[in-house]
């Protein structure tokens, strides 16, 4: 594979958009995140790699307050997520405040989680109308723009069941974008798709990245990670083992655990043809 010729852009100056410091999470006494430190800068694309069970999904869910954390802190644009700090103590925010914080982050999951009884357009306008109280006509016009952006300008009236997995996933991306999120989180957005549908979703994600959207992407798509990520974070066993530009972490990993993971991934890819 040819190496990129352009100098990598170092966006890591100024305040990070996301700062996670020493994040701990356990489920029933099972330590799943054991002190995760990750910064994501505005406009950066960070790909999160790691073996099954390493805590990638849990970490994304913590960023988005779908899980409470047992230790550490997560900030978005300098604002503490989920808690308020008063006199050195943390106080959990109200559900309403947490929902408001959550609406600042778009999330796309492995399984297309569209409402099955709503059309593509209705799925997309749900958040803007219900949460942001946008007038329906305005939300619909924006939905149409977003559908066009993901290559589905003529499918607004289709129900999820009438769309392919790749199309549903693109609607899910449009739905997340409709909230004008500060950050997009992707959790293996292509791993449930038939191979021939993966490319169309990755293309949309690539365009978002090129447009400057800040993204954290859990993926096993190594070509995407190599070409699109500004930085790779490799997790194993609930810790960050190493991080750096793709050319380093994928091209020349320092840690044996990273090498083992990449070897297995390549073997799996070869076996899958
Ligand atoms: N709600 C939960 N209750 C109990 N255990 C959980 C829960 N969610 C995750 N875990 C456990 O936490 C660990 C990390 O899971 P997580 O889903 O974050 O891993 P992952 O890196 O996303 O894996 P995969 O690549 O398979 O998606 C696993 O051992 C998992 O069983
Ligand atoms: Mg996962």
């Amino acid at each position: 594979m040819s190496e990129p010729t352009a100098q990598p852009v170092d966006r890591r100056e100024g305040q990070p958009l996301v700062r996670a410091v020493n994040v701990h999470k356990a489920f029933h006494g099972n330590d799943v995140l054991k002190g995760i430190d990750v910064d994501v800068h505005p406009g950066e694309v960070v790909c999160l790699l790691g073996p099954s069970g390493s805590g990638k999904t849990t970490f994304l869910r913590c960023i988005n307050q779908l899980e409470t954390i047992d230790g550490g802190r997560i900030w978005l644009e300098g604002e503490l997520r989920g808690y308020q700090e008063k006199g050195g103590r943390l106080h959990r925010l109200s559900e309403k405040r947490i929902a408001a914080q959550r609406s600042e982050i778009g999330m796309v999951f492995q399984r297309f989680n569209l409402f099955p009884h709503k059309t593509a357009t209705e799925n997309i306008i749900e958040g803007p109308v219900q949460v942001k109280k946008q007038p329906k006509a305005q939300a619909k016009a924006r939905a149409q723009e977003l559908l066009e952006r993901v290559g589905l300008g003529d499918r607004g009236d289709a129900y999820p069941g009438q769309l392919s997995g790749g199309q549903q996933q693109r609607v899910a991306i449009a739905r997340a974008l409709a909230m004008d999120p500060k950050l997009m989180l992707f959790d293996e957005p292509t791993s449930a798709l038939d191979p021939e549908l993966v490319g169309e979703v990755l293309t949309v994600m690539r365009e978002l990245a090129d447009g400057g959207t800040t993204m954290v992407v859990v993926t096993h798509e190594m070509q995407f990670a190599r070409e699109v990520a500004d930085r790779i974070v490799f997790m194993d066993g609930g810790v960050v083992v190493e991080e750096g530009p793709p050319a380093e972490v994928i091209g020349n990993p320092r840690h044996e655990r990273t090498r083992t993971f990449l070897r297995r991934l390549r073997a799996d890819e070869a076996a899958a043809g």
Side-chain angles (χ1 to χ4, degrees):
M1 181 170 297
S2 63
E3 290 300 317
T5 48
Q7 280 286 320
V9 183
D10 194 350
R11 304 180 207 271
R12 284 174 295 156
E13 20 183 79
Q15 198 195 41
L17 181 70
V18 182
R19 165 154 281 178
V21 175
N22 201 22
V23 172
H24 281 77
K25 176 69 185 176
F27 291 109
H28 322 292
N30 172 24
D31 291 324
V32 171
L33 301 179
K34 303 174 187 167
I36 300 285
D37 296 319
V38 170
D39 282 354
V40 185
H41 285 77
E44 238 192 339
V45 178
V46 172
C47 280
L48 208 53
L49 308 183
S52 185
S54 56
K56 305 179 298 294
T57 295
T58 303
F59 180 57
L60 288 192
R61 290 173 57 84
C62 288
I63 294 177
N64 208 12
Q65 295 290 308
L66 296 169
E67 303 287 355
T68 56
I69 59 178
D70 304 325
R73 305 266 199 281
I74 302 175
W75 291 267
L76 184 78
E77 275 188 336
E79 187 184 81
L80 197 58
R81 306 285 292 170
Y83 298 90
Q84 195 177 21
E85 201 157 9
K86 264 193 210 153
R89 284 175 152 231
L90 290 187
H91 302 271
R92 184 97 180 130
L93 294 175
S94 67
E95 275 312 310
K96 198 172 162 201
R97 280 291 304 139
I98 288 173
Q101 286 191 338
R102 208 173 275 141
S103 73
E104 298 176 333
I105 297 181
M107 193 157 178
V108 178
F109 302 86
Q110 180 173 10
R111 296 271 158 202
F112 342 112
N113 53 341
L114 299 173
F115 299 112
H117 56 285
K118 286 180 189 281
T119 64
T121 299
E122 287 165 354
N123 266 280
I124 295 170
I125 67 172
E126 165 91 14
V129 171
Q130 298 298 330
V131 180
K132 291 201 156 175
K133 310 294 178 202
Q134 268 179 24
K136 217 166 171 179
Q138 183 191 332
K140 273 189 170 170
R142 181 81 205 293
Q144 185 55 33
E145 269 173 40
L146 289 166
L147 281 167
E148 277 159 24
R149 187 151 153 205
V150 301
L152 293 169
D154 55 349
R155 301 312 303 276
D157 293 333
Y159 288 88
Q162 300 169 317
L163 298 170
S164 73
Q167 290 170 334
Q168 288 182 52
Q169 209 54 324
R170 287 186 280 150
V171 173
I173 293 172
R175 183 176 62 175
L177 293 174
M179 293 294 282
D180 292 320
K182 294 175 176 164
L183 170 74
M184 285 287 287
L185 303 175
F186 291 88
D187 191 3
E188 301 197 41
T190 61
S191 60
L193 297 177
D194 291 336
E196 71 272 21
L197 303 178
V198 169
E200 66 194 50
V201 175
L202 293 181
T203 299
V204 167
M205 291 170 63
R206 217 178 259 265
E207 285 166 4
L208 284 183
D210 290 345
T213 304
T214 313
M215 304 170 34
V216 180
V217 183
V218 176
T219 187
H220 292 305
E221 294 292 334
M222 296 311 284
Q223 197 184 342
F224 177 87
R226 261 180 188 277
E227 293 174 5
V228 181
D230 295 294
R231 206 146 44 86
I232 304 287
V233 172
F234 175 72
M235 284 175 65
D236 194 6
V239 298
V240 173
V241 175
E242 65 179 298
E243 64 172 292
E248 285 173 22
V249 178
I250 302 176
N252 189 19
R254 280 177 289 141
H255 288 265
E256 186 50 39
R257 281 200 271 176
T258 318
R259 285 194 282 266
T260 304
F261 170 76
L262 292 169
R263 235 184 345 257
R264 285 214 189 104
L265 207 62
R266 286 187 188 118
D268 289 349
E269 275 172 8

